[in-house]
Amino acid sequence: MKVSQRNKAVSAAGIAPSFINVDGEEQAISDETRQQLLAVMDLDRLAEQEAAPVPPAKVFRGPGKREMAVEGSGTFHWRLTTEKGKTFTGEVAGGETLTLPPRLAQGYHQLTLTQGERQWDSRIIITPRRCYEPEALRAGEKRWGALVQLYTLRSENNWGIGDFGDLEKMLAEIAERGGDFIGLNPLHALYPANPEGASPYSPSSRRWLNVLYIDVAQVEDFQQSKAAQRWWKTVKTQRALEKARDSEWVEYALVARLKLEALRLAWMQFRQRDAQDDAMLAFEAFVREGGDNLWYQAAYDALQCEKSADDTLRVGWPGWPGWPEAWHNTQLPAVQSWCDEHVDEIRCWMWFQWLAHRQFAQCWQRSQQLGMAVGLYRDLAVGVAEGSAETWHDPELYRMKASVGAPPDRLGPLGQNWGLPPMDPHVMLARGYQPFIDLLRANMRDCGALRIDHVMAMLRLWWIPYGETADKGAYVFYPVDDLLAIMALESQRQRCMVIGEDLGTVPKEIIGKLRNNGIFSWKVLWFEQERNGAYRLPQSYPRQSIASASTHDLPTLSGFWEAGDLALGEKLGLYPNEKVLKQLHEQRARQKKTLTKALRQAGALAEKQQEEEVDTQAMTPALNQAIHAFLAKTNSALLGLQPEDWIGMTTPVNVPGTVNEYPNWRRRLSVTLEALFADDEVDRLLKEVSRQRNSQ
């Protein structure tokens, strides 16, 4: 391929020639990296899209005249079938503009062009201008809620991991204190056969749920099964349960063993139900609705359990990449034969998914009964792991010879490699964006808001050629306007608002797009500083945002104030040298001093405290309350608060940049839900937050 042709192909593929580095300078991407990424993509697919007279999908936003160019020559016959089945026809010449019928409703319509024996299809998507926003927020009200990593919850009844039963109880407690929602970590399906692979941001599937969140005690067939109840009452089971409940960390392997054994016994009871039983009919409807995607998700979970016992497979390589090639995707004969021979086992895992979805839906319904405007918000991870059910079932959609991450920064000179194969934007377009639509629908189900992790991925992702370090990557652009428009359509249809996690390096070109699309920004207290270092006062926070003190990737309030995160980072060897650590401590001291000043200016510190010097070393209850009062005063329509901060916890739930150095995604709350909401200090804190939110 000639240089000019190669450069054209790289440009058409959306591979950026340069990026702005951590010093604010433009840095060129090497030709080698660009060619490596070009080789990763499906060039035949790109050529087909360029040669067609119309694109595979065309998105139109808002009202107005809708026209699209028709490439090629000769006369084309066209037929447009609307989402509701109405048909329009006509002719158009190549090189001319096709004007679509007026007053097309919002939704998905099908345009077909024919010329002789040849045919081309294009999905016409008509969308609203902005995402959905609850009436309470449109009316100017300000709401608050709890930000919860569900697995961290302790309770008197759970099995060593927070579950949907805990979530339902917590909703009532939050609502009683004036709260409006609970924001959750990604609930995506993980790896039951490899329960230690616990990161909710490296899931097996983003369309299905983590079955370890099932509240087993709620399951009717567990209650009715004599075998299950005998198992439950044994000394061995009760001792294992006590160990799981008492542990400081989530003991994932133990929790998985207990829950899966119990659920299998419950499944044996469920199988005895009559075919016309209401629960059986509901399950069968769920199976039909889930289709192939649910079938192969269940098959993957079942097959993983079988393969995990095979000592001949590669140790430490979870999932299908460690299996023989004959098992590397769902359409291979060995996989199909196995599925035919294990139908009941697959149905068992589909039943687990049904239980999880039914219990989560019950939580959503409870939030609505409590009058919550947002109720629940879910979190959509940026991708799936290499050895995931999604890549196993749909390898064409993912570029398996690349991984996404982040370019180098001062603390990570080689950048970050997240180990997640990227979705191919050209395959998404070729399929009329259906994979993206399916993903949104699955995650907007049974909730009032969806948080998009690393929302900048709508615009671009840092792709890294397989086997290279992250500094050898480049940005690949995505059809951001189309994706945001589709998000607005699904948001309105599902009545689910959208929150974009826009922390870190945010490209200027996406900031306005997110705002204009009605996507809420994320404002973290620690980062809300002016150029001179002063903390922004509450009235400066934008209305279209959610404010919080911290996130799951940052230290808790007490951890930040007492510099516990820096001490931990030093212990784990995260900093390149003593000079960097000293600079971080100096920066933290300045932040605490300027934050204290902002607390006083906002009137969040009591008069007595204004006259005295606030302790800059320890997080006191009074200072904790002052920071919560400051956040409650912010102009942000939403406010999210972490339970860890209500009780002064210092240990983080995740330390970015670590894998085995720290037990990420395992730290639990230090108290049970029952004790948390019986605490008078917590009760006063939350009621004061509610009062502040309602008084403005």
Side-chain angles (χ1 to χ4, degrees), residues 24 30 61 86 155 219 236 303 340 360 481 564 620 658 688:
S30 71
R61 165 165 280 174
K86 189 174 182 180
S155 72
V219 177
K236 181 180 178 182
L303 195 50
D340 290 342
F360 184 70
D481 292 324
T620 64
T658 64
E688 177 60 19

Side-chain angles (χ1 to χ4, degrees), residues 331-619:
Q331 300 311 304
L332 292 171
V335 175
Q336 291 293 309
S337 295
W338 189 92
C339 289
D340 290 342
E341 295 166 7
H342 295 81
V343 171
D344 188 67
E345 178 70 2
I346 293 171
R347 282 176 58 80
C348 173
W349 284 94
M350 289 195 291
W351 187 68
F352 295 170
Q353 282 294 332
W354 176 67
L355 290 176
H357 279 79
R358 195 162 75 153
Q359 288 193 0
F360 184 70
Q362 184 174 309
C363 292
W364 166 244
Q365 291 159 9
R366 179 63 174 142
S367 76
Q368 298 308 283
Q369 292 167 0
L370 292 165
M372 293 175 154
V374 177
L376 291 171
Y377 89 54
R378 297 176 68 170
D379 193 346
L380 177 62
V382 74
V384 293
E386 178 189 8
S388 64
E390 284 192 27
T391 58
W392 185 60
H393 181 47
D394 195 356
E396 180 194 51
L397 181 60
Y398 294 89
R399 297 299 93 191
M400 300 304 295
K401 293 183 180 179
S403 175
V404 300
D409 59 28
R410 288 190 175 87
L411 292 181
L414 292 180
Q416 299 176 41
N417 188 330
W418 302 333
L420 310 174
M423 269 189 178
D424 190 323
H426 310 290
V427 175
M428 291 170 61
L429 174 60
R431 297 187 189 178
Y433 295 119
Q434 194 61 46
F436 184 65
I437 296 164
D438 290 340
L439 194 59
L440 291 177
R441 288 176 178 172
N443 285 276
M444 287 180 171
R445 181 174 180 170
D446 297 320
C447 63
L450 178 62
R451 175 188 182 270
I452 309 294
D453 186 49
H454 193 66
V455 73
M456 291 77 79
M458 298 292 105
L459 172 70
R460 67 184 191 186
L461 271 174
W462 186 258
W463 285 30
I464 307 156
Y466 194 83
E468 298 285 358
T469 51
D471 59 323
K472 299 295 193 299
Y475 279 117
V476 173
F477 285 90
Y478 284 69
V480 58
D481 292 324
D482 286 0
L483 298 181
L484 292 179
I486 292 168
M487 190 178 291
L489 175 59
E490 291 301 322
S491 169
Q492 292 286 353
R493 288 189 163 187
Q494 310 301 327
R495 296 176 63 81
C496 177
M497 66 180 295
V498 179
I499 299 166
E501 189 268 300
D502 54 351
L503 304 175
T505 303
V506 184
K508 291 180 180 178
E509 56 264 47
I510 200 174
I511 295 173
K513 291 180 185 294
L514 295 175
R515 182 175 60 248
N516 295 337
N517 277 269
I519 295 174
F520 275 50
S521 179
W522 200 287
K523 300 299 176 185
V524 176
L525 175 63
W526 311 135
F527 301 151
E528 289 305 299
Q529 293 177 275
E530 305 291 353
R531 291 192 176 184
N532 63 3
Y535 274 94
R536 295 188 178 96
L537 295 178
Q539 60 267 28
S540 298
Y541 281 57
R543 168 78 189 170
Q544 191 175 300
S545 70
I546 177 172
S548 70
S550 189
T551 75
H552 60 267
D553 284 333
L554 297 170
T556 63
L557 267 177
S558 294
F560 177 91
W561 199 264
E562 297 171 8
D565 59 318
L566 301 183
L568 180 60
E570 181 183 16
K571 179 181 177 182
L572 298 176
L574 298 184
Y575 309 123
N577 52 55
E578 287 291 331
K579 181 180 178 181
V580 169
L581 180 60
K582 182 181 178 182
Q583 290 172 343
L584 291 172
H585 274 288
E586 291 171 349
Q587 178 190 47
R588 183 64 53 84
R590 290 193 299 271
Q591 286 177 296
K592 289 160 64 174
K593 184 176 181 179
T594 53
L595 179 57
T596 301
K597 182 179 180 181
L599 294 175
R600 290 194 175 103
Q601 289 177 319
L605 281 170
E607 184 176 341
K608 181 180 179 182
Q609 291 170 298
Q610 290 182 18
E611 297 170 356
E612 300 172 355
E613 185 65 29
V614 173
D615 186 345
T616 58
Q617 299 302 316
M619 172 62 72

Side-chain angles (χ1 to χ4, degrees), residues 134-153:
E135 175 59 35
L137 301 191
R138 292 200 305 271
E141 296 181 23
K142 295 199 291 188
R143 300 297 176 98
W144 72 271
L147 304 181
V148 174
Q149 299 285 303
L150 184 56
Y151 52 87
T152 68
L153 297 185

